Amino acid sequence: MEANELPNIAELNKEYFNNQSSTYDANPTNVLYAKKCAEAILREVKDLEGYEVMDFACGTGLISQDLCAHVKSVLGVDSSQNMVNEYNKKVSQQGIDKEEMQAICLELKESEDDQLNGRKFDLIVCVSAYHHLDDIDSTTRMLASYLKQGGELVVVDLKKHPEVLHKFHGENKDHVIPHRGGFFPEELEKAFLTTGMLENVSSKIAFSLPRQIEKDKEHIFEWFLARGKKI
């Protein structure tokens, strides 16, 4: 197969999450991980009142829901139309004003002109999605470009444990996860710094949870939070 015939990771992920959308929130593990990630963000980023937030790769809105009560508005952005539909359905069912929380289906790309009509954000979060991205450097530059001066980019993802690299997600997701097992924190710190747009870059362990990786065997997996401020 020629290089230009290789499957497009973004398209494969779009198809995968379109198929997962209707049952995603029914999985208690997904809900638990999202809750822990949202708690970590709220613990680390203080004084969110009045903030305009982008939830990048927002999925069904589990993170947006937890942030919404603390900020002025949350815009969810996702390339999966079915995920966006689930997100907006919850917004409608819960009686939340669309000015406070809504999602749009859009594949944000660095190579494109401003796709959000000049809109900038005080905070951009991306939770448990970076390991699905083919080019984290390009994505980080793109996200940083949508921050207001002094705004923050916060990414929460799985910390790489080489000894169990393929155990967390399972072999059946190889086609949609280019970064198996997550990242070393310094990998994301480097991606933040090489944008040339972010300062005060740091990372720390956000939380840890056990997960069964083999019969009668558990491993403690760690999630970390990386952050940087727009220069």
Side-chain angles (χ1 to χ4, degrees):
M1 180 181 287
E2 297 296 330
N4 60 3
E5 295 177 351
L6 292 173
N8 182 292
I9 291 291
E11 289 300 318
L12 290 173
N13 271 288
K14 190 185 302 183
E15 179 183 6
Y16 175 79
F17 284 107
N18 274 333
N19 292 333
Q20 292 285 314
S21 61
S22 63
T23 58
Y24 191 84
D25 288 5
N27 184 331
T29 301
N30 292 338
V31 176
L32 174 63
Y33 291 159
K35 181 177 177 59
K36 290 288 187 181
C37 289
E39 288 174 350
I41 293 170
L42 291 170
R43 188 168 58 244
E44 295 300 321
V45 185
K46 309 294 186 183
D47 303 321
L48 294 173
E49 186 176 355
Y51 269 34
E52 294 178 289
V53 180
M54 180 203 295
D55 182 1
F56 179 70
C58 62
T60 63
L62 292 172
I63 299 297
S64 295
Q65 281 182 287
D66 285 343
L67 296 182
C68 186
H70 302 271
V71 301
K72 178 182 177 181
S73 65
V74 183
L75 176 69
V77 178
D78 203 290
S79 63
S80 163
Q81 183 63 64
N82 289 356
M83 283 289 196
V84 167
N85 292 345
E86 292 295 323
Y87 183 119
N88 288 328
K89 182 167 68 175
K90 285 195 289 187
V91 170
S92 176
Q93 289 174 343
Q94 294 174 29
I96 301 172
D97 192 312
K98 289 184 178 180
E99 294 298 314
E100 297 177 11
M101 179 177 160
Q102 67 172 321
I104 58 173
C105 184
L106 183 64
E107 190 172 340
L108 287 176
K109 295 180 179 180
E110 183 187 18
S111 59
E112 302 290 334
D113 293 330
D114 180 2
Q115 295 173 268
L116 293 175
N117 301 316
R119 188 168 181 183
K120 303 287 185 180
F121 299 86
D122 302 289
L123 174 66
I124 296 176
V125 300
C126 182
V127 171
S128 297
Y130 252 52
H131 57 266
H132 285 275
L133 303 175
D134 192 27
D135 188 342
I136 65 168
D137 291 330
S138 176
T139 298
T140 305
R141 286 191 298 267
M142 177 275 295
L143 292 176
S145 74
Y146 285 104
L147 285 169
K148 299 177 184 178
Q149 185 176 7
E152 282 203 77
L153 173 62
V154 173
V155 174
V156 184
D157 216 300
L158 187 65
K159 182 182 177 183
K160 186 182 290 183
H161 290 209
E163 70 276 15
V164 290
L165 201 60
H166 291 272
K167 297 294 187 180
F168 185 85
H169 295 105
E171 302 294 340
N172 65 332
K173 294 184 181 178
D174 275 346
H175 64 299
V176 293
I177 301 179
H179 304 280
R180 298 294 299 175
F183 302 91
F184 295 114
E186 53 267 29
E187 290 181 86
L188 287 199
E189 289 184 22
K190 181 181 178 182
F192 278 39
L193 288 168
T194 56
T195 66
M197 292 182 275
L198 297 171
E199 62 182 0
N200 300 338
V201 172
S202 65
S203 63
K204 66 186 298 184
I205 298 301
F207 63 94
S208 59
L209 285 172
R211 185 181 178 99
Q212 186 171 342
I213 57 174
E214 296 175 11
K215 186 179 180 181
D216 302 323
K217 183 177 181 181
E218 284 189 339
H219 181 82
I220 303 297
F221 287 93
E222 296 174 300
W223 280 254
F224 71 98
L225 181 150
R227 64 192 299 190
K229 181 175 288 189
K230 181 74 174 284
I231 297 172

